Amino acid sequence: MRHRYDVVSIFTEYLAPLELSLIGKARRAGLLDLRVHDLREHTHDRHRTVDDTPYGGGAGMVMKPEPWAEALEAILDEPADSTDPAQPDPRPLLIVPSPAGEVFTQRTAEAWAQEEHLVFACGRYEGIDERVLEWAAERFRVRPVSIGDYVLNGGEVAVMAMIEAVARLLPGVIGNPASLVEESHAEGLLEYPVYTKPADWRGREVPQVLLTGNHALIARTRRDWQLRRTLERRPDLIQALPPQRLDARDRTVLEEAARDTGGEDADPLS
Ligand code: 6GU
């Protein structure tokens, strides 16, 4: 499948880094058809106005509906060069970055990597007139999405994060697909710490188990490190693990770690 991503923004220069690195390479290789569109091309006044004051009052400006409708219609009128008959709903996904959206996770990235056509509507100011989202729902599957609980000035930086997370999952974009399998969040745990040469660096030695050549022991030790690190930094991820993902040894490691880190009466599995 050839993937098509359209991004609409009033700051198209913000998206310039999408020319670089793996994403840029995927574009040049023809795996990814990524088009960036300037919302102001769809204004018709001398000042190329995209915003106006909010009805009902309040701080800031709201993005006007007309340029958005025109920009989105123009995208729909530029058809993708292939249509996958396996896609159950031919309406493209319209992703509206917003701190008021559902939170984007690795699961979201995995689902979007299966989609042929993604459209990103980057809002600025206080957001886009809500009627645009209602209108768009007849033509797109509309998804307001946040990248976390903090506020950015606009959707562009969030869209770059989302496109990078999704595009690296497309077949052929990453040189070594094995590296996708065991990475952070794929298995619900954070990654284990990694080390390279020299074995002794400024008096700090690499954990000796990594030099044993005992691959089973190394794998088990790395799993212990993942469990301890996740419990320490992201206890919410431990709570969310389906119980069948933990073997007896995993439970022992977590119980010991919970005991060692002051969480005296905290049972990580309860
Ligand atoms: Cl997707 N957009 C904006 N403007 N702020 C955010 C965000 C998105 N996600 C978190 N904060």
Side-chain angles (χ1 to χ4, degrees), residues 1-58:
M1 196 190 342
R2 183 145 193 275
H3 298 264
R4 175 174 164 199
Y5 299 166
D6 288 279
V7 184
V8 184
S9 165
I10 58 167
F11 290 123
T12 56
E13 317 90 292
Y14 254 99
L15 285 312
L18 293 172
E19 311 269 347
L20 305 176
S21 191
L22 287 173
I23 308 297
K25 214 167 131 206
R27 293 173 76 178
R28 291 188 295 277
L31 294 167
L32 180 58
D33 174 6
L34 197 157
R35 308 178 194 177
V36 176
H37 310 267
D38 185 349
L39 181 69
R40 289 193 203 276
E41 297 293 306
H42 300 281
T43 58
H44 303 285
D45 63 312
R46 276 200 316 129
H47 298 106
R48 312 185 93 196
T49 311
V50 293
D51 61 336
D52 206 336
T53 54
Y55 276 119

Side-chain angles (χ1 to χ4, degrees), residues 147-168:
I147 61 165
D149 291 337
Y150 41 81
V151 178
L152 305 172
N153 282 334
E156 287 79 4
V157 168
V159 164
M160 285 213 283
M162 293 190 267
I163 289 181
E164 181 152 321
V166 175
R168 62 192 293 284

Side-chain angles (χ1 to χ4, degrees), residues 54 67 106 111-112 128-129 138 148 151 157 170 223 231 241 256:
Q106 190 65 25
W112 291 359
I128 304 172
D129 187 308
E138 292 169 19
V151 178
V157 168
L170 304 180
R223 173 114 179 140
L231 181 64
L241 282 177
E256 282 177 3

Side-chain angles (χ1 to χ4, degrees), residues 50-188:
V50 293
D51 61 336
D52 206 336
T53 54
Y55 276 119
M61 298 291 272
V62 174
M63 295 193 100
K64 295 165 63 61
E66 301 93 329
W68 276 110
E70 263 196 38
L72 295 173
E73 279 172 335
I75 286 169
L76 290 172
D77 288 345
E78 264 179 68
D81 34 37
S82 66
T83 299
D84 181 351
Q87 293 265 356
D89 188 338
R91 288 176 303 163
L93 266 191
L94 176 63
I95 296 139
V96 185
S98 162
E102 269 180 64
V103 176
F104 179 88
T105 68
Q106 190 65 25
R107 302 292 86 75
T108 320
E110 288 162 4
W112 291 359
Q114 308 302 314
E115 296 279 343
E116 182 168 306
H117 192 187
L118 302 178
V119 180
F120 296 88
C122 298
R124 284 261 149 187
Y125 316 112
E126 300 307 307
I128 304 172
D129 187 308
E130 190 68 21
R131 294 169 295 177
V132 174
L133 281 72
E134 297 166 17
W135 167 87
E138 292 169 19
R139 294 149 179 95
F140 299 87
R141 287 168 292 149
V142 179
R143 300 280 186 280
V145 177
S146 162
I147 61 165
D149 291 337
Y150 41 81
V151 178
L152 305 172
N153 282 334
E156 287 79 4
V157 168
V159 164
M160 285 213 283
M162 293 190 267
I163 289 181
E164 181 152 321
V166 175
R168 62 192 293 284
L169 302 179
L170 304 180
V173 172
I174 286 230
N176 174 15
S179 66
L180 295 176
V181 177
E182 55 174 52
E183 66 192 359
S184 275
H185 296 277
E187 291 298 321

